Amino acid sequence: MKTKLLFAISAIFLSLTAFSQKKKQQEKQEMAVYAEKKGNDYYLIRLEKDKDIPNVYVYSNGVTKPYKNYSELKDIVMEFPGMMASNNSTKEELVSVLKKDEHFYEITSQRKDPKNLEKTVVTVYEVYQGQKRIVEEYDSIYELMSSPYKEAIFIN
């Protein structure tokens, strides 16, 4: 009887621990929404799930780290004015970067219809010695979700 009770308590504790870890992971999910290159650095703007103000990171020398903490969206827009212009643009815009297996990629998006997010072409470029070449092109963000480059947009 004591063994069964101990077993039950252990199972409850483990399930609560797993649930809290899963909840923490879910809270950390981010989606890349905009990126801007300044000099050799990339400034990455990512929207965290259930949060109104995006997080801003800087990718420099192979390392991504937090850039600044902003309390208002207007402060981010003031520092990165291209972010607002890209929202209704039909031109190709940088969205994110990815370093994977010693390769460096830039991910861009281009809306065919600025009012319809589903009509967005996502292009993955490999950058090597200052030259860019197209690696993959996806007709929607949904196609990218099943690709090996999804972690450039959907960050855990």
Side-chain angles (χ1 to χ4, degrees), residues 73-91:
L73 183 60
K74 71 176 177 117
D75 295 332
I76 298 172
V77 172
M78 295 293 283
E79 190 158 350
F80 304 100
M83 188 171 103
M84 288 308 288
S86 73
N87 196 33
N88 292 319
S89 175
T90 56
K91 69 178 201 165

Side-chain angles (χ1 to χ4, degrees), residues 48-126:
E48 193 172 325
K49 187 176 182 178
D50 300 325
K51 193 174 168 192
D52 294 332
I53 309 298
N55 297 322
V56 180
Y57 300 90
V58 61
Y59 178 88
S60 182
N61 299 320
V63 178
T64 301
K65 55 187 174 189
Y67 175 59
K68 286 183 186 176
N69 285 326
Y70 294 92
S71 58
E72 294 187 34
L73 183 60
K74 71 176 177 117
D75 295 332
I76 298 172
V77 172
M78 295 293 283
E79 190 158 350
F80 304 100
M83 188 171 103
M84 288 308 288
S86 73
N87 196 33
N88 292 319
S89 175
T90 56
K91 69 178 201 165
E92 190 172 43
E93 300 285 347
L94 184 63
V95 177
S96 190
V97 296
L98 175 67
K99 181 152 176 111
K100 185 175 185 172
D101 301 329
E102 300 304 315
H103 296 274
F104 182 74
Y105 303 97
E106 288 183 357
I107 290 76
T108 65
S109 71
Q110 182 176 14
R111 290 188 184 178
K112 299 300 180 187
D113 177 0
K115 306 283 186 228
N116 189 348
L117 184 65
E118 290 183 12
K119 293 185 178 183
T120 301
V121 174
V122 179
T123 307
V124 178
Y125 292 95
E126 181 178 16

Side-chain angles (χ1 to χ4, degrees), residues 1-10:
M1 183 70 173
K2 287 182 182 180
T3 307
K4 286 183 181 180
L5 183 60
L6 184 61
F7 218 30
I9 291 172
S10 297

Side-chain angles (χ1 to χ4, degrees), residues 33-37 42-45 93-97 107:
V33 292
Y34 179 76
E36 195 170 294
K37 186 175 181 182
Y42 290 87
Y43 294 85
L44 311 170
I45 298 166
E93 300 285 347
L94 184 63
V95 177
S96 190
V97 296
I107 290 76

